[in-house]
């Protein structure tokens, strides 16, 4: 009897282990899935790089990462996907987002966070070379604009890169860059470049202005 009981316990343990390894992966919230689909609808994906963006669980989609415990979308890495068009404001409603990389794409329009949409968890933002570039008599001009003032709400930001995008800086951010008493928190590591490639801020520490 004792031997049978021991065998039963071993069998139960094996079944438990198998269930753990074969249980379905945690799924993202339905609302966050729809927000990502709204973003996809608004852009042009000629190379079909987002072909995996279908089905119920957006945690399995290419470029999307989720919190292993909650299932919330925590990361979006679409660097080098050759995506075009305008970035939907639905992206700013992913309130649990920690990592956002849209670099090396062909976006147009303005990247401006609504004042009532604070991505409080965002620690990493890379928009470098994210815009379509037109050649003109004035040189290379990016069609992608970033509002620095709107980024001031990213209170958890630790890394920021805006290389080769047009920068629209409000009065408040101009004051923050030019003075030692910064009214808005700046990330520890940042690289801001204008359309002419001149560095405005680099790395950490005090602001370094280009000549």
């Amino acid at each position: 009897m004792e031997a049978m009981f021991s065998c039963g316990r071993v069998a139960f343990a094996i079944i438990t282990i198998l269930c753990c390894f074969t249980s379905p992966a945690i799924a993202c919230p339905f609302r966050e899935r729809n927000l990502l689909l709204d973003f996809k609808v608004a852009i042009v994906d000629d190379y079909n790089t987002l072909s995996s963006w279908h089905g119920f669980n957006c945690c399995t989609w290419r470029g999307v990462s989720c919190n292993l415990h909650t299932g919330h979308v925590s990361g979006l890495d679409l660097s080098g996907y050759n995506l075009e068009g305008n970035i939907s404001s639905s992206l700013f409603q992913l309130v649990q987002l920690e990592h956002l990389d849209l670099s090396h794409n062909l976006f147009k329009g303005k990247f401006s966070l609504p004042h009532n949409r604070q991505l409080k968890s965002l620690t990493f933002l890379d928009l470098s070379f994210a815009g379509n570039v037109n050649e003109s008599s004035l040189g290379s001009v990016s069609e992608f604009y970033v509002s620095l003032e709107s980024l001031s709400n990213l209170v958890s930001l630790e890394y920021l890169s805006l290389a080769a995008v047009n920068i629209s800086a409000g009065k408040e951010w101009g004051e923050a860059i030019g003075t030692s008493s910064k009214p808005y928190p700046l990330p520890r590591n940042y690289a801001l470049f204008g359309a002419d490639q001149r560095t405005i801020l680099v790395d950490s520490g005090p602001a370094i202005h280009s000549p």
Side-chain angles (χ1 to χ4, degrees):
M1 178 68 74
E2 184 176 349
M4 291 179 60
F5 182 71
S6 298
C7 290
R9 287 185 7 183
V10 172
F12 178 79
I14 293 175
I15 292 172
T16 302
I17 294 173
L18 289 175
C19 287
C20 289
F21 279 102
T22 58
S23 60
I26 192 168
C28 67
F30 188 73
R31 179 177 179 275
E32 295 183 12
R33 169 189 176 274
N34 287 342
L35 290 173
L36 288 173
L37 289 178
D38 288 343
F39 165 78
K40 180 183 178 182
V41 169
I43 61 174
V44 178
D45 181 19
D46 285 336
Y47 293 91
N48 208 25
T49 53
L50 302 183
S51 60
S52 65
W53 284 35
H54 61 82
F56 176 74
N57 189 6
C58 67
C59 296
T60 63
W61 297 355
R62 183 181 181 186
V64 179
S65 55
C66 297
N67 185 290
L68 295 178
H69 301 289
T70 65
H72 286 294
V73 175
S74 60
L76 191 61
D77 188 348
L78 304 180
S79 178
Y81 280 24
N82 291 306
L83 302 175
E84 303 179 40
N86 294 292
I87 296 176
S88 170
S89 60
S90 65
L91 208 59
F92 309 138
Q93 299 180 48
L94 296 169
V95 294
Q96 301 296 324
L97 201 63
E98 300 174 8
H99 182 107
L100 179 59
D101 190 345
L102 301 177
S103 61
H104 298 277
N105 280 291
L106 301 169
F107 293 119
K108 298 180 181 180
K110 191 172 185 178
F111 185 94
S112 180
L113 292 171
H115 291 294
N116 61 338
R117 297 290 183 187
Q118 295 188 18
L119 299 179
K120 295 181 179 179
S121 300
L122 196 68
T123 61
F124 181 100
L125 178 60
D126 191 346
L127 299 176
S128 58
F129 300 92
N132 185 55
V133 176
N134 281 333
E135 298 294 334
S136 69
S137 58
L138 300 176
S140 299
V141 179
S142 175
E143 296 182 278
F144 185 63
Y145 298 82
V146 176
S147 168
L148 290 184
E149 184 178 352
S150 73
L151 299 186
S152 63
N153 290 325
L154 302 177
V155 294
S156 300
L157 204 61
E158 297 179 359
Y159 177 88
L160 172 64
S161 182
L162 300 177
V165 298
N166 278 333
I167 294 175
S168 171
K171 177 182 177 183
E172 290 83 359
W173 262 74
E175 293 175 350
I177 292 173
T179 63
S180 57
S181 56
K182 299 178 176 60
Y184 296 119
L186 292 174
R188 288 195 295 268
N189 299 288
Y190 41 79
L192 311 188
F193 299 79
D196 58 1
Q197 309 297 308
R198 293 185 303 161
T199 302
I200 298 176
L201 297 176
V202 292
D203 298 328
S204 57
I208 302 176
H209 295 268
S210 58

